[in-house]
Amino acid sequence: MMQNVHLAPETDEDDLYSGYNDYNPTYDTEELENDTAFQQAVRTSHGRRPPDGVTRPMTAVRAAGFTKAALRGSAFDPLGQSRGPAPPLEAKNEDSPEEKIRQLEKKVNELVEESCIANSCGDLKLALEKAKDAGRKERVLVRQREQVTTPENINLDLTYSVLFNLASQYSANEMYAEALNTYQVIVKNKMFSNAGRLKVNMGNIYLKQRNYSKAIKFYRMALDQIPSVHKEMRIKIMQNIGVTFIKTGQYSDAINSFEHIMSMAPNLKAGFNLILSYFAVGDQEKMKKAFQKLIAVPLEIDEDDKYISPNDDPHTNLVIEAIKNDHLRQMERERKAMAEKYIMTAAKLIAPVIETSFAVGYDWCVEVVKASQYVELANDLEINKAITYLRQKDFNQAVETLKMFEKKDSRVKSAAATNLSFLYYLENEFAQASSYADLAVSSDRYNPSALTNKGNTVFANGDYEKAAEFYKEALRNDSSCTEALYNIGLTYKKLNRLDEALDYFLKLHAILRNSAQVLYQIANVYELMEDPNQAIEWLMQLISVVPTDSRALSKLGELYDGEGDKSQAFQYYYESYRYFPSNIEVIEWLGAYYIDTQFCEKAIQYFERASLIQPMQVKWQLMVASCFRRSGNYQKALDTYKDIHRKFPENVECLRFLVRLCTDIGLKEVQEYATKLKRLEKMKEIREQRIKSGRDGSGGPRSRREGSAGSDSGQNCSASSKGERLSAKLRALPGTNEPYESSSNKEIDASYVDPLGPQIARPKTAAKKRIDEDDFADEELGDDLLPE
């Protein structure tokens, strides 16, 4: 029987579960029919009924339907039906102080959350406003809670989170003074546990403010308040202290901090900073040891073999496919890339100083890397060595270093051959460049740089269609290869496929938003498409990136001039002239602008500068003299024409103006200049007769040559003794009695009359005074040409 089985040996009254196995005849319901007392109680009211207020416990500890107080004579009502329906729920009083406090607390929490979300979305201003609003409402909440409850019931966690978020938002908005004040409120409140670690944040703010001494002070205070069990946080704070020491130039203190970190918990950043510190103090041996420590830092990432399926099990393949590029895998890649970056940078930094030469230092670094877990980096270091030779202009050593990789594995061979191809391309040795480009492509068909180099060599040979194919293949392998995008745009521009060129340049612009070259190419394509408005818009973007580019400014002036907007054109031409005052085209345009606007005096300075840049071009000096003449300064004009005549004695235009000016002023030299002018005109007539006879002759080789040379009006036939100098400059002068020789093709003051060009039409009042002055045409020096 179960009566004698007990769960525990003790049966004291303290045991809540004792006594349930004991037999009590009172609970024997089977004998109730024969129990006369029970039957009498049921039939009459003499049995005591339990009072209405007595409740029935619903637990297994006490017997269902019975209490000690109502055990005798109570009715059996296990469901409590005798109590009637349950009373209605108490109505929620929204006006009660407790409810108001709950709602306000909920609102504060929501504001803190909204502030954090706005910060994570980059809306720092909104985040700060929400944080301030949360702070205001939290202070109201504290006052209300103090009125209702005791101060011990104030929600300190909410106050802490509000203040901490407010300080963080102040710091994010670079309001450092307000952030520091808010952190001080938290730190000084003894009721906030672990608030001392916020002194790290205060130290960070002082570091941003370049107040390094206070930053170190607060870092050390935080370090004292953080227990040793929080090892990782202590290491990070010590790293901050070391970085601050580097910024202050206290390299020995920085070395102590980083050495301690590398002995306790080595990491990549501390190892790299330790190398920097030893480099700063110039300790070669310690640099080597620190580099070895950096190499020995464990990466703590899985090998790539983990992501290769060992068999054809479909379930395993699915798992591997799922984890091949998950967040953990991406984090591992980033960590490995960071480690390689630190090692490569450290090697490039210390290689030139740890040994007698940079080459020996690089070799030492390569050997150390080969013996480590980063063995793949050794080849990259070798290629970097070759690039360093390039920076030192030692091309032969660079080529020799790169040629060592021709027998290495395909990836390294492709990288080396790519660099060699580029080197030979720069030296215009296109055959060698093409050869190494082929080697690079054959070693790694998916190397976009190799395919781009191959396209460059084909482009240099003029096969633009084939070059475009190589660039397209490079883009298929790497759609963000900027070199291929730029080059294929140039290729299509060469092929006059402007729409396609524009598409590629716009794609490149999406990647390189502020590239001056890309912006110029887009503007140039629009110009070729005869869309000057778009060209102007893109050039405006260009000068916002490079505001001092004189070429872009002059191009803007040219486009505005073409659109008829002279004032805007003048503005950009003038800006271009300010940054580069030696552009002849810009100088000529500015001079012509002032002449068109009847300000010849201002044009003089531009033509004088042009004559300094091109002293053998007589037209600039003639323009200076014409400006003096038109501005009414006849004496200065006469002196300038005399100076031109001394330099260019056979210039017909100069002599014509000298004759006119001397006649108008009444100088005696007029006869001398008139005689010279007549002699030159006579020589011109002789030359024209020879040209005419040559055309009417037998048409032999000599005649054809002379006719061709004389086809331009006013060609020069100068003496052989002076021909090499003068024929290159003068095209409108008659020759001497020497045999005819054709002049060179250099442009000079050949057939123009007034170097300033045609002016505003004027009445023909003084043009016919003398018949022999008809040659002046529209170059009359009447007073009506002078500015009023």
Side-chain angles (χ1 to χ4, degrees), residues 622-667:
L622 286 171
M623 287 179 177
V624 171
S626 295
C627 287
F628 281 127
R629 176 174 56 82
R630 293 193 177 206
S631 61
N633 194 343
Y634 296 114
Q635 186 58 48
K636 191 70 174 175
L638 181 62
D639 294 339
T640 306
Y641 280 125
K642 287 180 178 180
D643 187 52
I644 295 170
H645 179 63
R646 281 194 297 271
K647 295 177 182 177
F648 305 95
E650 298 183 11
N651 187 280
V652 175
E653 300 300 328
C654 180
L655 282 170
R656 287 175 179 169
F657 284 117
L658 277 171
V659 170
R660 166 50 67 86
L661 279 176
C662 289
T663 302
D664 290 346
I665 299 174
L667 297 178

Side-chain angles (χ1 to χ4, degrees), residues 492-508:
Y492 281 131
K493 202 167 80 166
K494 281 279 189 183
L495 293 169
N496 203 32
R497 292 158 63 176
L498 300 179
D499 288 331
E500 293 172 82
L502 183 62
D503 287 342
Y504 282 106
F505 283 131
L506 289 173
K507 286 178 184 176
L508 185 56

Side-chain angles (χ1 to χ4, degrees), residues 295 340 343-344 347 362-386 401 404-405 408-409 411-412:
I295 292 286
E340 292 176 351
I343 292 169
M344 292 287 289
Y362 247 110
D363 291 339
W364 181 88
C365 292
V366 169
E367 291 303 318
V368 172
V369 170
K370 281 181 179 177
S372 71
Q373 57 185 322
Y374 303 98
V375 62
E376 297 175 355
L377 278 182
N379 292 325
D380 294 333
L381 276 173
E382 289 278 11
I383 291 178
N384 233 296
K385 179 181 173 183
T401 306
M404 293 166 51
F405 292 95
K408 296 285 182 78
D409 64 85
R411 186 187 69 85
V412 180

Side-chain angles (χ1 to χ4, degrees), residues 486 489-490 493 498 501-502 504-506 508-509 512-529 531-532 534-546 548-559 576 583 585:
Y486 187 83
L490 291 180
K493 202 167 80 166
L498 300 179
L502 183 62
Y504 282 106
F505 283 131
L506 289 173
L508 185 56
H509 174 64
L512 306 175
R513 302 296 299 182
N514 294 319
S515 170
Q517 290 177 312
V518 177
L519 290 169
Y520 177 79
Q521 291 296 340
I522 294 173
N524 184 241
V525 171
Y526 274 120
E527 184 185 3
L528 294 173
M529 295 169 74
D531 189 348
Q534 281 291 336
I536 288 172
E537 183 180 330
W538 284 96
L539 282 173
M540 294 294 288
Q541 292 188 43
L542 172 59
I543 62 172
S544 70
V545 176
V546 279
T548 60
D549 190 320
S550 63
R551 182 65 181 167
L553 290 165
S554 66
K555 176 58 73 173
L556 264 174
E558 180 185 332
L559 289 170
S576 175
N583 188 330
E585 294 176 357

Side-chain angles (χ1 to χ4, degrees), residues 50-58 62-63 65-70 77 80 83:
D52 292 338
V54 177
T55 57
R56 178 177 64 85
M58 295 295 289
R62 302 168 68 184
F66 295 93
T67 63
K68 288 183 179 179
D77 188 10
R83 290 180 294 173

